[in-house]
Amino acid sequence: MVTSAVNASAPALDKPEAVVYTDVAIVGGGPGGLAAAAALSRVLDPSVRIQVFEAARAYSEAGAGVGMHINGLMACEAIHPSIAHTLYDKACYSLCSYQYNDVTGQRNAGGTLAVDRLGQMDATGHCQALMYWNDVREALYEHLPDPGMVQFGWRAAACQALDAAEQELLSGGTGAAAGADGAAPAAAALPWAQQPHRYELRMTRQRAGGSLGGGGAALAAADDGKEAVAMAAAASGEELVVRAKVVIGADGYFSRIRRELLGGSPPVFSGVVMWRGSFTAEELRTGAVPLPAAAFGAGASDRAASHRWTPAGSGAFPGPGGRVLLLFLAQSGDGVGAWYLQNSAKAVQEAGVEFPPAGAGGGVGGLAGPVALARGLAANSHLPPDVQALLAATAPERVTEHGLYVQPLDSVKQGSWTRGHVVLIGDAAHAAPPDGQGANLAIEDAVVLADVARRHGGMLGPQVFAEWEALRQPRVKDILGDTKYPFPNRNKCIQASYFAPLWVPGDAGLPTSLPADASSSSSSSSSSSSSSGGQLPSMAALLEWSRRTSRSIVERRLAEVAARGAAPEQPPGQAQAAAPAVVAAAAAAAPGARDVAGGGR
């Protein structure tokens, strides 16, 4: 963990009508926002105050898994190796993926896909794996120099740029000092302490359980934002004013920062509706979650695989708008199982399920809980009964529903992600399909931004943001623009990934010495080893150590999965026989019921 004075004197944010001054305001506390806070903390002066404002009152268990790929894990390693090591240790691994007909439930002949993870590590130093969404957030959150950097329960309701006179007044009249020629230097070139506060963000307090992030339905309902601000303030009774020198928008699909500070257009609805859910390893062990007999009839070996249900003849990847159900299981004593379900909005409506649900701001906010689960079951009644039973047994508080929105790639151009001292990252800049690259690219954004800032002496501003944007836009287009299996251009870009490490030898959590013959030794821990007073290991040696550590973790986890696949099948729980009743009870909730709870992913 990096230690610094960041936010050491940050004012408490619990009082209504509070006004907070900060150097860098990051709006959105998902993986992108947290990665930005962690990465920038490594390259900015420790006196620079960074604060993250997250709409959710706390990180919840809602949602499911996210596919972390070579690029995302390599970016995590660039922030600090321990982040990547933690994620590899917590990941869900499968030896292969089976494919099924999503109506009959029959396993498709020749539909088995395998991933050569160790081959990927040989080639790049990293491999892909499924992570539980909350584990990604937690790993990044725990690496912040001060957890108090994240202020929970605050959603941006309105944003504006302050004019020059007001900026100087709010900054105590500390105008730019005249240079030798009598001219004042540009404010962006001044030390952080002398820069003006350029932006005002009005935040509203969110009610407990009232947000999942990503742009709220009520706030999106009014185009000019004024009605939305009044609605949110009335609902919460608290308001916070944040004045910042730099703003980073990591606030998802319907980014308030994008709309109000950059004049950007909202994302486009793709015509796809998504549901996500998860369950615990204990629920799997006890049979509380009944596993589909057609998929798990071979016994324990099927627990070492992931599973994919698609329409007949669609192949393993039915396309951006096709229906699909993915299921991943926890493979060891800890962790979760996760599922992802998607269908077209047209099919959802034809099934008698209202979409967008009334009061959800055009589908912006999304749903959570029992209503989301009931709607998912009703909209996907084509699934085999035993598959529906698995979904129905998911704890409702861990189920979400969202419409899928994307930013058209032809709208990506220089200046579309940044203006002045504002920059967008992640879904706020380039909302993507739910193939994992949304989270991976958001973490990439943060790491590259920190690297460019470091090369500019630890500053953030128009020049840094323009340089960052010029680096990011071609790569994002190359990766997100390749949507057809087997994704040759995307895979080429991902496998060629490189991110300059933001850490240096001697940082906390890194070994202070390595074995003389490092190639013959591997470690499964990222903790420091004792130093004998000699020279610190080089960057190259530490990077090699990190890759060896990651590989040893993956080898151990894959061995656990293989052993699980060879183990005798455990007797199912009583819940297996009761599955149809579970489906009926969950589907009994009216499909049109509306429990709007905010969007995001």
Side-chain angles (χ1 to χ4, degrees):
M1 183 74 72
V2 182
T3 57
S4 76
V6 175
N7 296 316
S9 60
L13 302 183
D14 293 330
K15 297 180 180 179
E17 306 300 330
V19 179
V20 171
Y21 294 86
T22 191
D23 295 314
V24 181
I26 300 175
V27 182
L34 292 173
L40 290 172
S41 294
R42 291 199 160 273
V43 302
L44 303 187
D45 188 273
S47 65
V48 176
R49 290 185 50 213
I50 302 171
Q51 291 195 310
V52 180
F53 298 92
E54 164 58 26
R57 293 294 292 258
Y59 290 137
S60 72
E61 297 297 314
V66 57
M68 289 295 289
H69 294 265
I70 291 166
N71 55 325
L73 286 158
M74 191 178 293
C76 287
E77 180 186 57
I79 300 174
H80 196 281
S82 64
I83 301 175
H85 301 165
T86 296
L87 291 177
Y88 277 124
D89 195 43
K90 291 186 175 183
C92 176
Y93 298 88
S94 58
L95 301 184
C96 64
S97 176
Y98 293 129
Q99 183 184 352
Y100 307 84
N101 183 304
D102 70 352
V103 174
T104 67
Q106 182 178 0
R107 183 176 293 179
N108 296 343
T112 303
L113 302 174
V115 176
D116 183 6
R117 290 186 175 84
L118 296 183
Q120 291 177 344
M121 301 197 89
D122 288 338
T124 69
H126 289 277
C127 70
Q128 68 188 69
L130 181 84
M131 312 290 175
Y132 181 43
W133 179 255
N134 208 43
D135 284 343
V136 177
R137 292 189 301 194
E138 183 177 316
L140 292 164
Y141 177 74
E142 290 183 348
H143 196 74
L144 297 176
D146 175 5
M149 293 172 72
V150 181
Q151 304 295 341
F152 290 97
W154 295 105
R155 181 185 295 282
C159 329
Q160 65 175 341
L162 301 171
D163 62 39
E166 190 170 6
Q167 288 178 20
E168 183 173 349
L169 177 64
L170 292 173
S171 300
T174 55
D181 58 358
L190 291 172
W192 278 97
Q194 297 179 32
Q195 291 190 35
H197 290 85
R198 303 177 178 92
Y199 305 97
E200 181 175 278
L201 312 177
R202 290 197 169 268
M203 321 293 287
T204 54
R205 177 65 101 177
Q206 299 301 291
R207 290 171 293 178
S211 170
L212 295 174
L219 299 182
D223 290 338
D224 64 1
K226 295 179 181 178
E227 178 185 347
V229 173
M231 290 171 59
S236 66
E238 297 182 56
E239 186 174 285
L240 171 70
V241 175
V242 178
R243 291 181 178 131
K245 300 172 182 179
V246 171
V247 174
I248 298 176
D251 49 340
Y253 287 173
F254 290 86
S255 168
R256 173 71 67 183
I257 303 303
R258 181 187 185 106
R259 285 179 292 162
E260 297 196 4
L261 293 183
L262 274 72
S265 58
V268 177
F269 180 51
S270 69
V272 170
V273 187
M274 310 173 294
W275 292 266
R276 293 179 173 90
S278 64
F279 32 79
T280 67
E282 180 65 21
E283 288 170 333
L284 289 173
R285 282 196 299 268
T286 62
V289 174
L291 297 178
F296 294 87
S301 61
D302 289 334
R303 289 176 176 256
S306 59
H307 305 266
R308 178 189 303 262
W309 285 262
T310 57
S314 65
F317 298 91
R323 71 183 190 228
V324 63
L325 168 65
L326 304 177
L327 171 65
F328 305 86
L329 298 184
Q331 301 298 347
S332 61
D334 299 318
V336 299
W339 54 263
Y340 167 82
L341 174 64
Q342 77 172 39
N343 207 340
S344 69
K346 180 180 178 182
V348 170
Q349 292 166 339
E350 290 174 347
V353 177
E354 182 183 21
F355 191 87
V364 174
L367 305 171
V371 173
L373 177 58
R375 284 169 52 88
L377 290 169
N380 295 278
S381 59
H382 64 277
L383 291 169
D386 56 356
V387 176
Q388 293 187 57
L390 177 143
L391 302 180
T394 308
E397 64 269 18
R398 294 201 297 270
V399 178
T400 62
E401 175 191 326
H402 302 285
L404 171 60
Y405 295 79
V406 298
Q407 288 288 349
L409 290 180
D410 59 11
S411 70
V412 174
K413 57 186 178 181
Q414 191 73 17
S416 60
W417 297 351
T418 181
R419 176 180 295 175
H421 288 73
V422 179
V423 66
L424 305 174
I425 65 173
D427 282 346
H430 42 76
D435 57 5
Q437 280 305 316
N440 287 263
L441 289 174
I443 298 171
E444 277 195 25
D445 286 345
V447 170
V448 176
L449 178 61
D451 185 41
V452 176
R454 175 173 57 182
R455 287 189 264 120
H456 284 264
M459 302 303 294
L460 293 173
Q463 184 177 355
V464 169
F465 292 161
E467 184 177 326
W468 169 85
E469 190 178 46
L471 291 171
R472 296 302 297 154
Q473 289 189 347
R475 178 170 173 83
V476 168
K477 287 181 177 180
D478 284 342
I479 290 178
L480 297 184
D482 186 1
T483 60
K484 294 183 179 180
Y485 182 78
F487 317 112
N489 295 333
R490 171 182 295 210
N491 289 334
K492 181 179 179 180
C493 289
I494 290 174
Q495 290 170 5
S497 298
Y498 171 77
F499 307 100
L502 303 177
W503 42 268
V504 296
D507 279 355
L510 298 176
T512 55
S513 64
L514 292 171
D517 183 10
S519 62
S520 65
S521 173
S522 64
S523 169
S524 60
S525 171
S526 60
S527 60
S528 299
S529 53
S530 61
S531 172
S532 59
Q535 186 176 9
L536 290 171
S538 67
M539 289 284 291
L542 287 170
L543 189 58
E544 183 182 353
W545 158 81
S546 178
R547 300 290 169 85
R548 289 196 315 272
T549 301
S550 293
R551 185 183 179 96
S552 69
I553 293 171
V554 173
E555 287 177 338
R556 171 175 57 81
R557 293 300 317 281
L558 289 176
E560 293 172 356
V561 175
R564 185 181 182 88
E569 176 72 342
Q570 297 297 317
Q574 296 300 316
Q576 189 86 25
V582 177
V583 176
R594 304 148 194 109
D595 181 18
V596 178
R601 64 191 180 108

